[in-house]
Amino acid sequence: MKKFIAWLKNPQSDIFLFAVLLILINLVASKSFFRVDLTSSKSFTLSKSSKEIVSTLEEPLSIKVFFSSNLPPQFAIVDTYVRDLLVEYEEAGDKNLTVEYFDLKSDASEYNDENYQIAHDYGLHEFQTRELKNNEVSYKNIFMGLVFTYADQIEILDGINSTSGLEYKITTAISKIIYNTNALAGLDGKIKLTLYKSDSLNAFRIANLSNVENAVSEAFNKINTKYNGRLEFEKVNADTKQAEDASRDYGVQELSWKDKDGEKVSGAFGLVLSYGDKVFTVPVRIQNMIFQWAVLGLESIEENINQGILNLVSKTSSIAYSTGHGEHDSSDNEEGAGNFAAMLGDVYSLEDLNLAENDIPANVTNLIINGAKGEFTDAELYKIDQFVLSGGNLIIFTDSYDIVMPQTKYQQPQFMKINNGLEKLLTNYGVTTGENYVFDKECYSTDDDQYGKVNLYYIPVLKKESLNQDHAITNNLNYVFFINASAIDTTAAENDENVKVTVLAKSSTKAWESTDPSEILNLRMIFPPEDDKLSQKNLAVLLEGKFKSAFDKNPSESEENSENTQNDFTVKNHIAESTQSGKVLVIPTSLITTSQIISSPNSNTPVALFLRNAVDYMNGNEDFCLMRTKALSMNELEESSLLAERIAEWFNKLGLAVLVAVAGILVLLARKNKKDRIRQFYNPEDPRQISKEEQK
């Protein structure tokens, strides 16, 4: 033992001990490692939403990777990115997520192997790509796809030829497959169903009232069994105070009548789902049916409760799309918003809604009004208003003018002022849109064969400094552009303490409002104002919070329909103030949703990303916004001034050479001074050294 200790102390053992140390370090590192993502948009790091989804898996999820070997260089980087990203998913998913790689030969003659057959059975397709090698162009068929299997569900991602938005695609695929298996997977806590029903109501002859508790209990038991006991139920016999609170907080009906002593008392009737701070009011209500009061909504109670649960856990996929007022057609890919609707199709579906004929469905939490030209009636506006006050989210793409194209080439287009009535709601919520187009010196330009560069002042280019980099919708976007947009005034909303105002996009500081919209027909005759008359304009505004109604009562409901004078029985249906926080997004141009800007459903232009982010945020999928804009292609160079460009140009030409020469001279001088100091220190009398006195 002493000899061994002595050997360890001997320098001869250092090499051996160092080798052992390296082996141990490698063994530890193989089991435990870390990665550092230095990209500004964290392109190689999973977002919080992705980690939460895979960390709450209740069953094993398998990701099968089918990528051909020997991919061309432009696709090899995608393969590397996919492998790195899946390592992050595997770490977050722990034991319930596995990744399996299937090698596929790039040579068509070897396509009959077993892995090719497996890929084919899953429904993956190879696509043809061109490769330049040894001065020859060759074509090969390759696979680039992922297959997700969870329980008995299968989801595929095929043709992955870009890293752009890849995490978003993978996470949405995983989310979809989990949702199809169990919508409440990974839920922390239970969803509560509360029936507010004052027992005093039994004294009145209200049709179907006696069936309410049985109908609700039966629907609850079926749904609770479906979701493995993740729900709980409570019945509240609301007194006057509870009725007032429930009406204010949840939007349930508040009913009032006189007791036997002639005193006015209140009760409540309604069905509420709650989870955390989220609330959904199930559409069941008491309504005057002319000859008697009746409970409506029991026939679809199970369906509505189930849809409310999905709304609470952000699993909604249906978006109401307003029609009947000249809005852009969501099915028209040529001139309408067909590409915009198709672009959202991987997560959402746009359901046409004519507010003149139908109410806003219970399964909808988001309403889009896109380019309405016709006027909304007060009854339609009231439906929108009550929807927002109940916690609904509203996106409005509005225009100041309808450009009517001429029938002959000798006529000029006509600019018709749009009065669709939406200003009644917007003004009440605290925002107003201008009547003129915003022109901007920082704009899109084109080259004309006759006139050279032509500035399209009516298409402002909103650069990074004009976009709110602190908000999920516009974070990571370097630029977007609007067309025929008007300015937005948010002064009134900013003075409302219950509303949070976020300006998402502004023009540059070199913008102004046109005095005549027809100026866009002759751009060469537009002369920007003096600099002191230029200013920054708001072009996209988000309002979040609680709003006050734009109406005192339902405009389509008379006093006779809302009060039963025989029994002194009154039902309060009108919501005067928000029961839940809502969102209103105002974008003063609808042209950015048309095929003129969104050229295909797969568009990845900055404007398309902006629109997708906006819809995701309004539907509660905020993390999707950050995932989508992680694309490395978005990290573009910032535009510099002409002076900075010239300085950089000459520095590259001469600056480096001058720096090297100066550095060489400084090194020579430093060496000479060092030699002189050494000589003076060791041999100051050296005859080869000429003193300063001798020099004089």
Side-chain angles (χ1 to χ4, degrees), residues 300-317:
S300 56
I301 190 72
E302 182 179 343
E303 177 185 350
N304 288 334
I305 291 176
N306 188 66
Q307 189 57 57
I309 291 171
L310 300 183
N311 286 358
L312 288 180
V313 295
S314 299
K315 300 295 185 182
T316 55
S317 60

Side-chain angles (χ1 to χ4, degrees), residues 540-602:
V541 173
L542 174 66
L543 308 178
E544 298 174 275
K546 294 189 174 182
F547 306 92
K548 294 182 179 179
S549 176
F551 298 86
D552 295 329
K553 65 176 183 177
N554 188 338
S556 62
E557 187 176 71
S558 64
E559 293 295 333
E560 289 77 13
N561 290 333
S562 61
E563 183 176 343
N564 187 323
T565 56
Q566 181 180 357
N567 296 319
D568 292 324
F569 187 80
T570 304
V571 177
K572 177 184 176 183
N573 291 312
H574 174 66
I575 302 176
E577 296 184 7
S578 289
T579 58
Q580 299 296 313
S581 293
K583 304 174 189 173
V584 178
L585 175 60
V586 183
I587 300 176
T589 173
S590 67
L591 290 178
I592 60 174
T593 67
T594 65
S595 57
Q596 182 178 351
I597 305 300
I598 309 298
S599 58
S600 76
N602 299 319

Side-chain angles (χ1 to χ4, degrees), residues 410-430:
Y410 302 106
Q411 295 177 313
Q412 293 284 348
Q414 298 294 313
F415 291 80
M416 309 297 294
K417 185 73 180 72
I418 293 176
N419 295 300
N420 54 28
L422 291 173
E423 62 275 3
K424 181 174 183 177
L425 293 182
L426 294 180
T427 302
N428 181 75
Y429 300 154

Side-chain angles (χ1 to χ4, degrees), residues 342-533:
M343 181 179 69
L344 304 174
D346 59 342
V347 178
Y348 312 102
S349 61
L350 270 58
E351 307 292 342
D352 288 348
L353 173 66
N354 190 327
L355 288 167
E357 301 173 356
N358 302 290
D359 293 332
I360 300 175
N363 66 323
V364 167
T365 58
N366 193 10
L367 170 65
I368 295 179
I369 302 176
N370 187 14
K373 301 176 181 62
E375 187 172 2
F376 287 80
T377 65
D378 278 353
E380 292 174 304
L381 293 175
Y382 183 76
K383 292 179 182 179
I384 300 172
D385 176 77
Q386 296 293 284
F387 170 73
V388 173
L389 268 60
S390 298
N393 304 315
L394 174 64
I395 302 178
I396 297 180
F397 297 94
T398 183
D399 302 297
S400 295
Y401 295 93
D402 179 18
I403 304 178
V404 181
M405 301 307 293
Q407 297 181 352
T408 66
K409 64 179 181 180
Y410 302 106
Q411 295 177 313
Q412 293 284 348
Q414 298 294 313
F415 291 80
M416 309 297 294
K417 185 73 180 72
I418 293 176
N419 295 300
N420 54 28
L422 291 173
E423 62 275 3
K424 181 174 183 177
L425 293 182
L426 294 180
T427 302
N428 181 75
Y429 300 154
V431 297
T432 56
T433 56
E435 296 184 355
N436 299 315
Y437 292 149
V438 171
F439 286 2
D440 199 332
K441 285 186 176 181
E442 297 286 347
C443 62
Y444 186 82
S445 61
T446 184
D447 291 324
D448 186 273
D449 294 337
Q450 183 177 359
Y451 301 107
K453 181 180 179 181
V454 178
N455 291 322
L456 307 182
Y457 293 115
Y458 63 93
I459 309 181
V461 176
L462 316 182
K463 299 179 181 177
K464 195 166 187 175
E465 56 270 18
S466 297
L467 301 173
N468 191 329
Q469 295 299 311
D470 295 327
H471 199 275
I473 294 178
T474 44
N475 187 26
N476 294 334
L477 293 178
N478 276 353
Y479 75 94
V480 297
F481 61 83
F482 283 1
I483 179 171
N484 292 355
S486 302
I488 303 176
D489 183 3
T490 61
T491 304
E494 290 171 354
N495 292 329
D496 188 343
E497 60 182 11
N498 295 318
V499 177
K500 176 185 176 183
V501 181
T502 304
V503 178
L504 298 174
K506 298 180 179 181
S507 68
S508 76
T509 56
K510 303 175 182 178
W512 72 99
E513 293 186 58
S514 66
T515 56
D516 181 4
S518 63
E519 287 182 309
I520 67 175
L521 301 177
N522 193 354
L523 295 170
R524 293 183 296 106
M525 298 304 294
I526 297 178
F527 302 100
E530 299 295 330
D531 289 346
D532 59 349
K533 296 182 179 180

Side-chain angles (χ1 to χ4, degrees), residues 617-689:
Y617 183 83
M618 298 297 282
N619 281 276
N621 295 320
E622 180 177 343
D623 280 347
F624 284 0
C625 307
L626 303 177
M627 279 187 256
R628 186 180 295 109
T629 54
K630 283 184 178 182
L632 300 179
S633 59
M634 297 304 297
N635 295 332
E636 300 174 354
L637 295 175
E638 296 182 2
E639 187 172 334
S640 304
S641 64
L642 182 61
L643 176 61
E645 291 177 2
R646 290 289 180 266
I647 293 174
E649 178 185 358
W650 285 104
F651 178 79
N652 288 330
K653 288 180 178 179
L654 301 176
L656 292 176
V658 171
L659 284 178
V660 171
V662 170
I665 294 172
L666 292 176
V667 169
L668 289 175
L669 292 175
R671 288 180 177 177
K672 182 178 181 302
N673 289 334
K674 183 178 180 181
K675 290 179 179 179
D676 290 342
R677 289 197 306 272
I678 293 173
R679 185 179 294 112
Q680 288 292 334
F681 183 80
Y682 290 103
N683 191 8
E685 304 300 331
D686 190 343
R688 293 173 295 176
Q689 179 70 20

